[in-house]
Amino acid sequence: MNPVIKLIQNRVSCPRLTQPAPSEGELTEIFSCAMRAPDHARLRPWRYHVVQGQAREALGEVFAQVAREGGECSEAKIDKCRNMPLRSPLMVVAVCEPQTNSKVPEIEQLLAVGAGVQNMQLAISSLGYGSVWRTGEMAHAPLVKDAFNVSDQGHIVAFLYIGTPEKVPNKPELEMAKYVKLWN
Ligand SMILES: Cc1cc2nc3c(=O)[nH]c(=O)nc-3n(C[C@H](O)[C@H](O)[C@H](O)COP(=O)(O)O)c2cc1C
């Protein structure tokens, strides 16, 4: 079987991630795959931020502040938010900075960044690591966007948690005919 197809067919998200994370050299490989995402008019709307080590704790404090300022919120929820960035040894925050372009609407630029994230997930799997793409309320919180210098028009597209899987989940089997129609 073609190894690339096999890799794609077997990719699963891994929510439980531990050390080690990809090395600096491996990260360079992973980002070089992100840069090969299809991108209408080659606008390069993506920005990637690598969060690791103590920067995860600093981000956790930002998440906790968002939870605290979000109205009635239990200490347990604030702690949960503080600990979110510690769920893996490394996180990539994927940002879309859409440009005004008469031919390329914002949605296409978001899709280009999404394709970059998926390329990264496949590269991460191929190197023997795991990842999970998350968003949630923190992706839209102005405080979090400020922490990564995201513009008013920009969007956080993904918190990509990366590390070594503690356990690789089972892959769900989908009934292809339900989703794929042939028109001959
Ligand atoms: C744009 C986007 C945002 C997502 N946000 C979350 C999230 O916040 N929390 C979560 O548990 N899964 C989230 N997911 C789904 C997981 O990344 C994953 O795809 C899902 O758990 C299914 O697992 P699988 O990829 O192994 O099929 C998101 C996926 C996408 C594409």
Side-chain angles (χ1 to χ4, degrees):
M1 157 117 45
N2 175 305
V4 176
I5 290 180
K6 192 168 177 202
L7 175 88
I8 296 171
Q9 287 173 339
N10 287 301
R11 184 210 62 81
V12 281
S13 299
C14 303
R16 300 184 65 83
L17 295 159
T18 185
Q19 298 279 6
S23 67
E24 217 178 303
E26 288 170 325
L27 272 183
T28 304
E29 296 269 51
I30 291 164
F31 283 120
S32 72
C33 294
M35 305 291 147
R36 285 306 307 130
D39 172 23
H40 194 172
R42 297 194 167 164
L43 296 177
R44 317 308 191 207
W46 45 71
R47 306 287 179 272
Y48 296 111
H49 300 267
V50 180
V51 180
Q52 56 190 329
Q54 290 187 346
R56 295 174 309 145
E57 278 148 44
L59 182 59
E61 289 307 326
V62 178
F63 282 11
Q65 198 180 339
V66 171
R68 214 178 286 119
E69 290 177 4
E72 278 181 35
C73 190
S74 65
E75 277 307 313
K77 163 128 196 246
I78 294 170
D79 279 347
K80 186 175 173 215
C81 292
R82 183 181 288 110
N83 288 326
M84 280 176 178
L86 306 180
R87 292 187 288 204
S88 67
L90 190 147
M91 180 204 282
V92 169
V93 182
V95 171
C96 178
E97 287 291 354
Q99 295 175 32
T100 306
N101 185 289
S102 59
K103 290 207 178 90
V104 190
E106 184 185 77
I107 188 167
E108 295 191 6
Q109 300 185 47
L110 287 163
L111 289 166
V113 183
V117 174
Q118 175 64 2
N119 276 5
M120 280 199 274
Q121 288 204 282
L122 293 172
I124 289 162
S125 298
S126 80
L127 292 168
Y129 298 97
S131 68
V132 59
W133 179 341
R134 296 183 189 272
T135 47
E137 62 169 311
M138 296 302 160
H140 310 289
L143 268 179
V144 180
K145 289 174 73 176
D146 284 352
F148 293 103
N149 300 321
V150 180
S151 72
D152 289 346
Q153 308 78 246
H155 304 277
I156 292 178
V157 171
F159 297 116
L160 189 62
Y161 289 81
I162 305 168
T164 297
E166 277 178 17
K167 178 176 178 283
V168 177
N170 291 330
K171 177 172 68 90
E173 292 300 338
L174 294 187
E175 193 192 327
M176 217 181 298
K178 214 169 143 186
Y179 305 100
V180 181
K181 299 277 176 243
L182 297 181
W183 298 76
N184 293 315

